[in-house]
Amino acid sequence: MGEQRTAIVVGGGIGGLAAAVALSGRGWRVEILERAPEFREVGAGLSVWSNGVRALAALGVGEQVRTRAMSETQAGIRDSSGKWLSRTDTEEMTRRYGPLVMIHRADLLALLHEAASGAALRTGVTVRGVRAAGRHVEVAHDSGVARADLVVGADGIRSAVRRSLWPQAPEPRYAGYTAWRLLVDPGARLRAGGESWGRGERMGLAPLPDGRIYMFGVAGTPAGERSPDGELAELRRRFAGWHDPIPALLDQADEDAVMRNDLYELPPLKTFVSGRTALLGDAAHAMTPDLGQGACQALEDAVTLAALLDRHPTVEAALDAYDRERRPRSQMIARRSRRVGAVAQWSRRPAVALRNRVMGLTPPSAMLRSLAPVLDWRPTS
């Protein structure tokens, strides 16, 4: 047997931990470098679509996710008064594609963290640069220099790895809308999820297994704006007149629970690989959240990368195959997500009226068919 292959994963979020699980499970010695002082994710729910559930199964944590998550029972899109514009047949969607589950991000991160216990996890490490070094890659960080056979850049939309090896890559661009995220404990179980669309504004509700509700509000605003009297007050101003249970949930919310983030996306890259370095997740293809595919695509990346490294005789050949397989798919999904977000954010009355009418006339079966290119993914064998 040859010497054990080594990998450095930059970034300890969902994508980075998934890559560490996938690689260490195939015999790689993996080190994860995470800038934050601890591995954690707070304050938000996460939808994991069937393609993401399959990726998690390939990582060996599919069952744990399904037992700690709750499948949606009712979903679709309403207008601000509560009238259904489009209803999703969740049973048929599950039969056709597999389950969609809702889970708290912190729970998913904890599962992946546990599964990545075979990797060396280092927190509080800031990466300064990456460079090729013969048949290895060197990662300079604030504690020194590390060397490995492979580097995986999973360090998010502001990726230091991408800045280092892709200096001509375009900068992230503002999508044109901001998002508020919060968790609310209503004291009574809510089984219905879904989104409500208004004029340039949206509100989404997603029940979590512990009875809390994950809420997210979206509005078209200039980048960098903040509410002078607090973000919860801003949410109440925008959504207090919308349909039940949105006003009641906002009345029960705490200011400290509200997070606000402007939404950015990454313009398409010409390649996800450079020598023995590969980009993964948001570092490669940060997209708007309008299809709920950001985490799912990072999970797909991780599973595919590890499988191709097993299949090909050299790291370079495997990364070439990874780029050919992952870049067209993830960029297609990013384009679809951007289009959905653009339509959802329409604010002119005639356009909104037309959008709502078309959605009301579109059969649910057509909507399900349209999801096939996204949800039909299967892991590379």
Side-chain angles (χ1 to χ4, degrees):
M1 296 181 63
E3 186 177 343
Q4 187 179 25
R5 296 179 294 179
T6 59
I8 295 172
V9 176
V10 181
I14 290 172
L17 287 176
V21 173
L23 290 169
S24 59
R26 293 173 181 266
W28 287 71
R29 188 169 77 249
V30 180
E31 182 179 31
I32 305 172
L33 305 180
E34 166 56 39
R35 183 175 59 181
E38 58 183 315
F39 288 89
R40 66 189 184 94
E41 180 79 56
V42 298
L46 179 69
S47 58
V48 183
W49 292 76
S50 53
N51 55 318
V53 173
R54 288 188 206 98
L56 289 166
L59 294 172
V61 297
E63 271 309 306
Q64 296 96 308
V65 167
R66 294 182 66 167
T67 58
R68 294 174 68 169
M70 184 173 69
S71 297
E72 293 247 22
T73 58
Q74 187 179 20
I77 298 173
R78 311 181 197 214
D79 65 14
S80 59
S81 71
K83 177 185 175 182
W84 287 101
L85 303 174
S86 173
R87 300 190 75 156
T88 303
D89 185 339
T90 55
E91 289 187 1
E92 175 60 19
M93 185 171 68
T94 298
R95 185 195 68 78
R96 187 177 300 191
Y97 301 118
L100 161 67
V101 298
M102 284 301 306
I103 189 169
H104 196 289
R105 282 180 176 268
D107 289 339
L108 179 57
L109 201 70
L111 288 171
L112 290 171
H113 191 184
E114 182 179 354
S117 59
L121 310 177
R122 297 184 59 189
T123 57
V125 177
T126 300
V127 169
R128 305 298 182 186
V130 180
R131 71 177 186 91
R135 296 185 58 81
H136 296 87
V137 188
E138 289 184 345
V139 178
H141 52 78
D142 50 9
S143 298
V145 176
R147 171 180 282 208
D149 300 311
L150 167 72
V151 167
V152 179
D155 49 342
I157 191 170
R158 307 289 178 182
S159 169
V161 176
R162 190 182 67 245
R163 288 198 306 271
S164 182
L165 294 179
W166 281 258
Q168 303 305 317
E171 290 296 312
R173 62 191 176 202
Y174 182 47
Y177 38 100
T178 195
W180 296 266
R181 297 178 296 160
L182 65 156
L183 292 174
V184 179
D185 188 350
R189 185 166 294 276
L190 177 70
R191 300 292 295 179
E195 292 190 25
S196 301
W197 291 6
R199 295 175 52 218
E201 297 175 332
R202 286 176 279 166
M203 174 61 72
L205 305 177
L208 294 174
D210 61 4
R212 289 181 297 173
I213 306 299
Y214 170 51
M215 304 182 69
F216 59 91
V218 182
T221 65
E225 278 196 352
R226 293 296 179 265
S227 178
D229 56 347
E231 300 305 330
L232 181 56
E234 182 71 14
L235 281 173
R236 288 171 175 164
R237 273 194 297 272
R238 289 179 178 274
F239 299 105
W242 286 37
H243 65 83
D244 292 334
I246 293 171
L249 290 172
L250 290 176
D251 283 344
Q252 294 174 288
D254 295 324
E255 174 68 40
D256 292 343
V258 182
M259 297 177 291
R260 178 174 177 173
N261 302 100
D262 292 336
L263 298 178
Y264 283 80
E265 60 182 349
L266 188 66
L269 299 179
K270 294 181 179 179
T271 178
F272 288 176
V273 303
S274 175
R276 288 171 167 257
T277 298
L279 297 177
L280 179 153
D282 282 355
H285 47 67
M287 60 189 70
T288 65
D290 302 292
L291 283 179
Q293 280 291 312
C296 294
Q297 290 306 298
L299 293 168
E300 286 187 17
D301 288 347
V303 169
T304 303
L305 176 62
L308 292 173
L309 284 163
D310 256 9
R311 177 183 295 180
H312 292 272
T314 67
V315 169
E316 291 86 351
L319 296 195
D320 284 344
Y322 169 78
D323 186 57
R324 291 194 303 270
E325 186 166 332
R326 292 302 307 155
R327 186 161 47 88
R329 172 170 168 78
S330 59
Q331 290 179 349
M332 174 273 291
I333 291 173
R335 288 193 300 272
R336 288 173 65 116
S337 186
R338 187 183 315 119
R339 287 196 296 267
V340 170
V343 173
Q345 288 303 121
W346 283 354
S347 58
R348 297 182 62 188
R349 289 187 186 276
V352 170
L354 175 62
R355 177 195 70 192
N356 292 359
R357 178 170 173 76
V358 170
M359 291 175 66
L361 294 174
T362 302
S365 57
M367 187 278 292
L368 287 179
R369 284 195 302 272
S370 73
L371 292 173
V374 177
L375 303 185
D376 264 349
W377 177 86
R378 297 291 190 277
T380 302
S381 62

